[in-house]
Amino acid sequence: MTIAILGAGVMGSTLVSALLRAGRDPADIVVSDKVTARTEQVAAQHGVRGLSAAEAIDGADIVVLAVKPQDMAALLEDFGGLVGRDALVLSIAAGISTDFLERRLGDGVSVVRAMPNTAALVDQAMSALARGRHCTDEHLREAERLLGAVGAVITLDEQHMDAVTAISGSGPAYIFFVVEAMIEAGVLLGLPRATASELTVQTLYGAATMMRETGQHPTVLREQVSSPGGTSVAALRKLEDHKVRAAFLTAMEAAARRSAELSASD
């Protein structure tokens, strides 16, 4: 099964690497980027084939669209007609709807829209899939297997993809933002930066692991840490005073709204 990955940026090259770690044959993976030097760099780095977009699409069983949203229309206008009738088209571009893709690929082409996140770099991505009108069950399963190489996968209705983008798609940025703040606080309190970083990252990892392994609601876990009159309660009071919870809600609403605007630009 030949997989053509169009777009050799962060997500495209990450997917190439993950597929190889999952046991895919390098000979079955083709990469292409509008910047020829980038195509050659990623192909040489991973030992896969680097071709032009037209050559990559020709005969591909799966075509992964990993280009920037603003480049999608031009790519499909130039090369969309080359996609085989029996091929699966998997898009990981934010805000690009299955309808947008189907209108440019022709009737009957199986399309799946996906929203992974950058944790794919360490095989811990959260990816959500939405199937197009013509997507077969087998193609959907193939998309699930492909993105399963980089982490967890769920399938849902496309109407929820803007929310997915706001929560898990952009989510790593929020976490990194919070981690930055915690590290800076450690430095402010007199800790060496390396020590503050180690304390923060391990605390984040441990808290996430607790939630996953215990299955308990985060409110329950938070209350277990928050002794009456203690340090955690004092800190949480300040976060509430500064409306941090409301700020997160507002930020995610803004992300979802921007995702919807990108879709509306069809």
Side-chain angles (χ1 to χ4, degrees):
M1 179 172 289
T2 302
I3 303 171
I5 298 176
L6 306 185
V10 173
M11 289 305 300
S13 59
T14 294
L15 188 55
V16 171
S17 178
L19 290 172
L20 294 174
R21 290 194 300 274
R24 299 271 185 169
D25 188 338
D28 293 336
I29 299 175
V30 183
V31 65
S32 179
D33 194 272
K34 66 178 182 180
V35 179
T36 303
R38 180 62 180 167
T39 298
E40 295 172 349
Q41 176 189 354
V42 173
Q45 179 182 354
H46 298 291
V48 300
R49 291 180 288 157
L51 301 173
S52 68
E55 293 170 327
I57 293 171
D58 184 31
D61 299 292
I62 302 175
V63 178
V64 180
L65 304 177
V67 300
K68 295 178 180 178
Q70 59 267 34
D71 294 335
M72 187 67 79
L75 175 70
L76 295 180
E77 182 178 347
D78 291 340
F79 305 110
L82 302 177
V83 176
R85 278 283 184 174
D86 296 325
L88 163 64
V89 175
L90 175 64
S91 170
I92 59 174
I96 300 297
S97 67
T98 58
D99 180 66
F100 178 95
L101 299 169
E102 288 169 343
R103 283 189 278 113
R104 289 159 176 80
L105 290 168
D107 292 336
V109 176
S110 280
V111 170
V112 174
R113 175 183 176 183
M115 174 49 61
N117 60 27
T118 56
L121 285 165
V122 292
D123 296 342
Q124 291 296 324
M126 182 67 253
S127 300
L129 306 182
R131 65 193 299 172
R133 289 176 297 167
H134 310 297
C135 180
T136 66
D137 291 340
E138 178 54 37
H139 277 151
L140 180 62
R141 286 192 292 269
E142 189 58 48
E144 291 171 343
R145 286 192 291 269
L146 192 148
L147 284 175
V150 297
V153 181
I154 63 170
T155 299
L156 37 66
D157 292 337
E158 189 167 11
Q159 63 180 331
H160 300 302
M161 290 300 278
D162 293 330
V164 168
T165 300
I167 296 172
S168 61
S170 299
Y174 318 145
I175 302 302
F176 299 145
F177 186 82
V178 170
V179 168
E180 280 184 276
M182 292 177 69
I183 292 171
E184 289 304 316
V187 174
L188 178 67
L189 294 170
L191 292 172
R193 184 171 296 275
T195 301
S197 296
E198 182 176 359
L199 290 169
T200 301
V201 172
Q202 180 57 36
T203 299
L204 175 68
Y205 181 80
T209 302
M210 284 179 67
M211 285 188 288
R212 177 178 289 276
E213 294 191 358
T214 66
Q216 290 186 302
H217 194 279
T219 300
V220 174
L221 295 174
R222 174 177 58 77
E223 289 175 348
Q224 290 174 356
V225 181
S226 307
S227 302
T231 57
S232 298
V233 169
L236 291 169
R237 170 63 185 274
K238 288 297 182 182
L239 292 176
E240 292 291 358
D241 287 346
H242 288 280
K243 297 180 172 57
V244 172
R245 186 191 303 268
F248 267 98
L249 293 173
T250 302
M252 293 187 191
E253 286 179 334
R257 186 164 55 248
R258 180 55 182 154
S259 176
E261 289 171 355
L262 289 172
S263 296
S265 68
D266 289 3

